[in-house]
Amino acid sequence: MRLSPANPDASAVPMAPAYPPARLPAAPALSLDAFRRGDGPPVPSILDAGQARFVTSGRVAIALALRGMGVGPGDTVLVPAYHCASMIEPVVWAGAAPLFYRIQADTAVDLDDIAAKLAGAGNVRVLMATNYFGFHQPLPALRAFCDAHGIRLLEDCAHSFLGEHAGRPLGSFGDYAIASTMKFYPVYEGGCLVSARHRLDGVRLQPAGIGFEVKMLLNPIENGFAYGRLPLLRRLLALPMAAQHAAWRFIKARRHGTVPALAPGSSEGGFGFDPAWLTKRSSFFSRLMLRAVSRRRMGALRRRHYLRLHEALGTLPGCRPLFASLPDGVYPWVFPLRCAAPEALFHRLKETGVPVIRFSEFLWPGVDAGVCANSVDLSRRVLQLPCHQDLRDEEIGWMIDTVRAAVLAPGEHAR
Ligand SMILES: *Cc1c(COP(=O)(O)O)cnc(C)c1O
């Protein structure tokens, strides 16, 4: 059971070429620093927005939100044309039809197109809107639009666990909001269903079993080890870990290799949506991390790392940051960079061990430039680099040097 570092790109497919392991963690990696208290002002989060239920992934939370809003066969859900499969699969699972609306070049929703789509389809129940990369949508306007048209708002905070807008935490504008815990915390599974407007009493969750709990504790620890974190613990645990691996191999052999899935289809990609996890509570370890990891520190470091990347990479030839500035109240998930020659650069970075990702690399079948040219362009051209709180300064330095070298390599910017 060798674990590869968690890959936060939900849309990766199994067919992707095999690249060497990333040289630095793509997602938060467990270390003792994670528990240090940050300084600076408190950082608002989706957990301040309302009642919460802790499930095993963001996509499960989307499915529960749709169920809470009574979405079923014959209904239509307005979803953004810039998306990953894990946003659409729960809609299809609910029996509803996704209707893709346009977004603008800066990822803001196209309200005119939403209005046109709404007028053209008789049975729209819900509008799903995503705060891409941590940058909020015009949420008060979306809220007012939904209220005026009698539809519900589902706020996708998978990229915006932290943040505020117009004096309110992100996640408080929607009828329901969802988050993906593993994009922000050093955990292997986790999603939140939150509502500032509706009771969540109907959402009943059960523990997923001891095997799941153990695995969800060990995976983040092993991932931390893989990136040189927790060196003392690593030495202490070397023997018990080896024993655990041996036991696992033994069980697997006895069951002729048919070990039941212990982990949900989480952000590792390619897993799809499995309704078996709709009734399962997030692991004890993940829920503990939600309490133990300092949001102040997380928020401050994410901003600092983002600005460092913005400064160092924003003026490279053929590259520009997707967002011109980092507004107050934004605590980014990643640093999105718009590139003129994205394919070659993506490939080159992956081969050198840079954990670059491409949100929305694979659009839902039928979503093409005719549906939304901006979404197709964004999904091709915007590469994302990690800026999470568990990156070390020298790791970011190496990443910057490597990206610069890749962009400035002969022939690269000529394209
Ligand atoms: C990752 C992601 C999700 C789903 O979250 P999982 O925890 O991977 O199921 C939903 N929306 C967006 C925008 C995402 O990036």
Side-chain angles (χ1 to χ4, degrees), residues 75-342:
D75 291 331
T76 296
V77 177
L78 281 167
V79 292
Y82 188 42
H83 59 262
C84 57
S86 50
M87 298 159 65
I88 314 302
E89 283 159 354
V91 175
V92 174
W93 169 82
L99 180 57
F100 295 89
Y101 65 82
R102 288 187 196 149
I103 64 153
Q104 302 177 37
D106 64 354
T107 77
V109 299
D110 181 339
L111 252 181
D112 293 339
D113 188 56
I114 290 174
K117 294 270 157 53
L118 184 66
N123 44 4
V124 173
R125 300 285 307 281
V126 173
L127 168 65
M128 191 192 300
T130 301
N131 299 313
Y132 297 104
F133 310 121
F135 292 72
H136 56 76
Q137 292 289 347
L139 293 163
L142 282 177
R143 182 70 258 173
F145 178 90
C146 288
D147 289 341
H149 293 89
I151 61 172
R152 302 285 178 90
L153 178 62
L154 172 51
E155 200 181 337
D156 179 351
C157 296
H159 300 177
S160 60
F161 197 99
L162 308 175
E164 65 184 323
H165 179 47
R168 286 161 60 183
L170 300 184
S172 65
F173 294 86
D175 286 270
Y176 291 85
I178 69 98
S180 178
T181 315
M182 54 217 139
K183 288 178 175 136
F184 283 79
Y185 287 82
V187 297
Y188 208 67
E189 56 78 29
C192 309
L193 173 68
V194 169
S195 182
R197 302 178 154 235
H198 307 281
R199 301 187 62 84
L200 300 178
D201 301 341
V203 181
R204 301 249 165 72
L205 302 172
Q206 291 136 22
I210 189 71
F212 172 77
E213 297 290 344
V214 170
K215 192 173 181 215
M216 295 309 119
L217 165 69
L218 292 180
N219 279 10
I221 294 175
E222 284 198 297
N223 186 54
F225 290 172
Y227 288 106
R229 272 71 173 170
L230 304 166
L232 189 63
L233 186 64
R234 181 178 197 170
R235 256 177 282 154
L236 284 172
L237 283 186
L239 209 59
M241 282 266 190
Q244 185 252 337
H245 285 163
W248 183 255
R249 276 197 300 275
F250 179 71
I251 293 170
K252 218 150 105 172
R254 292 245 321 218
R255 290 192 192 160
H256 307 289
T258 54
V259 180
L262 276 182
S266 71
S267 288
E268 287 176 279
F271 283 89
F273 173 77
D274 181 355
W277 293 95
L278 283 173
T279 54
K280 300 292 188 279
R281 182 175 296 133
S282 180
S283 65
F284 176 77
F285 179 78
S286 290
R287 285 178 291 132
L288 183 69
M289 289 303 105
L290 284 177
R291 290 162 176 266
V293 171
S294 160
R295 276 182 235 148
R296 285 181 198 219
R297 178 176 174 274
M298 188 197 289
L301 285 176
R302 281 179 178 272
R303 285 182 64 90
R304 196 176 94 196
H305 295 164
Y306 179 100
L307 288 171
R308 188 172 165 201
L309 292 167
H310 184 110
E311 193 114 311
L313 303 175
T315 54
L316 283 175
C319 298
R320 72 175 160 79
L322 178 59
F323 301 104
S325 65
L326 180 63
D328 287 345
V330 173
Y331 302 90
W333 169 45
V334 289
F335 171 67
L337 187 66
R338 216 187 120 84
C339 306

